[in-house]
Amino acid sequence: MAAPASSNRKFLGRLSLPERNFVAEALRTETVGGVLLLIAAITALIWANTPIKESYESVRDFHIGPGSLGLDLSIQHWAADGLLAVFFFVAGIELKRELVAGDLREPKAAALPVIAAICGMAVPALVYTLVNTLGGGATDGWAVPTATDIAFALAVLAVIGTSLPSALRAFLLTLAVVDDLFAIMIIAIFFTSDLNFAALGGAVLGLAVFWLLLRKGVRGWYIYVPLALAIWGLMYNSGVHATIAGVAMGLMLRCHKEEGERHSPGEHIEHLVRPLSAGLAVPLFALFSAGVAVSGGAVGDVFTKPETLGVVLGLVVGKAVGIFGGTWLAARFTKAELNEDLAWPDVFAVASLAGIGFTVSLLIGELAFSEDPLLTDEIKAAVLIGSLIAAVLSGVLLKMRNRKYRALWEDEERDEDLDGIPDIYEQDNPDYHLRMAEIYDKKAAEHRRLAQLSAGSSDRHDGPA
């Protein structure tokens, strides 16, 4: 006998209040960072396509750093290997928090976004591989269209002015977290050069010391920052991509609260470091990676070369089809019911938004075609164009339902009793209804008093002098 519909788990249902507050705070920072990222990308494109483009190349290729430590790197490499380590450090904390306190802590709840994210990476890779196999292109770039850029996606939401309900925003954030995890694995497995086992051993030893200090409760940035820099330098010299060091340290932080704690150490550090990641590290990476020469002919070439066409189709078609298809199938087989306030076209719109694959896609493009600078620039142009198309498509789809989203968002934010807790989270509490009745009574009494004053004033005005 089939289970009653009411027993089925809700998909994209209302978040718990703590989870809603965390998502709101995290996305607020990412949205600001996304706008800065957008500005940095536009600046890079203008700088690289004007008569002063030589200065862009000079700054980007300028080398600095201690050569004796194997760190005489260009500014572009410092941005890609150094600053993005901060970005992946935050990603590691996000992943750890999701695993111990967020949507991924329960296997049943985690299944749907994880399956959606996996399909959202597998299908773009298949699209790229198919295009290049049929077109005779290089399949090395299969991983380029697999990544989602949450900051850029949120910047698009900010620009088009849509108010997504928190459940859809949380789904997008969870997708991005799982996406980052698999991107990290791809970078570690497929883009590791010849290993220097001495440096790798030193990095592992440093990580062990980092973990031990955390477990002993040792405090002090003056201990952890130098240690983190040493671990990063050793990881870079080991041949493993240096951003892996950031992820590993992020995963080691404790992200569950103990008795008497308002925030876990991981949440506290994420709160401190996230603005640095979103507001400085990622925009600077974009500034020195997105500056590619774009002309009419170059744009046309993006749609004719199999490598670049595969990236565009992977981001625009592969991401949307993969995430939507994976979500629909997972919901069908897990009997998860879609929130009655939303519809499947809403899921497809968010899936299309996930086709914005800027930061990590640019990084993987540099790694995949590092020996062919011309093709690297063409791949970057394809990432920019594919992300732009995905942004426009998702923007149109989301705008079509914006009135519905705004109504849901306003319901979530309404706080008529001004107690700091949205009313929708208090409606099952009898005290809430008593407070609301008192508020309405006071408002009605105030309206009656004002009406009487107005009537009295009118009588005095109309009466004899």
Side-chain angles (χ1 to χ4, degrees), residues 31-51:
T31 300
V32 174
V35 173
L36 294 175
L37 174 63
L38 190 59
I39 293 171
I42 293 172
T43 301
L45 286 169
I46 294 173
W47 194 358
N49 288 276
T50 57

Side-chain angles (χ1 to χ4, degrees), residues 327-405:
T327 304
W328 186 84
L329 287 172
R332 182 175 178 83
F333 285 105
T334 60
K335 297 182 179 179
E337 291 182 346
L338 183 65
N339 180 359
E340 59 273 9
D341 292 326
L342 299 170
W344 282 108
D346 300 317
V347 180
F348 185 80
V350 172
S352 300
L353 188 64
I356 301 172
F358 190 76
T359 305
V360 179
S361 290
L362 290 177
L363 175 62
I364 294 177
E366 290 180 359
L367 296 173
F369 299 103
S370 57
E371 297 180 1
D372 190 341
L374 178 59
L375 186 53
T376 298
D377 282 350
E378 292 172 343
I379 291 293
K380 288 181 179 180
V383 170
L384 294 173
I385 292 170
S387 298
L388 177 62
I389 295 172
V392 172
L393 174 62
S394 60
V396 171
L397 294 174
L398 291 169
K399 268 296 185 183
M400 292 170 64
R401 292 268 290 170
N402 195 43
R403 182 177 298 179
K404 179 68 174 179
Y405 298 150

Side-chain angles (χ1 to χ4, degrees), residues 14-91:
R14 189 194 312 162
L15 303 176
S16 66
L17 184 58
E19 187 69 10
R20 170 199 171 275
N21 292 339
F22 174 82
V23 168
E25 177 63 28
L27 296 185
R28 190 176 299 115
T29 305
E30 290 288 358
T31 300
V32 174
V35 173
L36 294 175
L37 174 63
L38 190 59
I39 293 171
I42 293 172
T43 301
L45 286 169
I46 294 173
W47 194 358
N49 288 276
T50 57
I52 59 170
K53 63 181 180 180
E54 290 80 6
S55 65
Y56 177 81
E57 295 170 357
S58 298
V59 173
R60 183 190 63 190
D61 298 333
F62 181 76
H63 277 63
I64 188 172
S68 58
L69 298 178
L71 297 174
D72 181 18
L73 309 178
S74 68
I75 297 296
Q76 183 179 14
H77 274 106
W78 276 112
D81 294 276
L83 291 177
L84 279 195
V86 179
F87 166 80
F88 278 108
F89 174 70
V90 173

Side-chain angles (χ1 to χ4, degrees), residues 201-244:
V204 172
L205 180 61
L207 288 170
V209 173
F210 188 90
W211 180 85
L212 186 61
L213 291 174
L214 290 173
R215 291 299 165 276
K216 294 293 183 181
V218 177
R219 296 172 178 267
W221 65 267
Y222 46 84
I223 295 174
Y224 289 103
V225 171
L227 178 59
L229 291 173
I231 293 169
W232 175 86
L234 288 165
M235 191 70 77
Y236 177 84
N237 282 287
S238 73
V240 177
H241 199 269
T243 54
I244 304 301

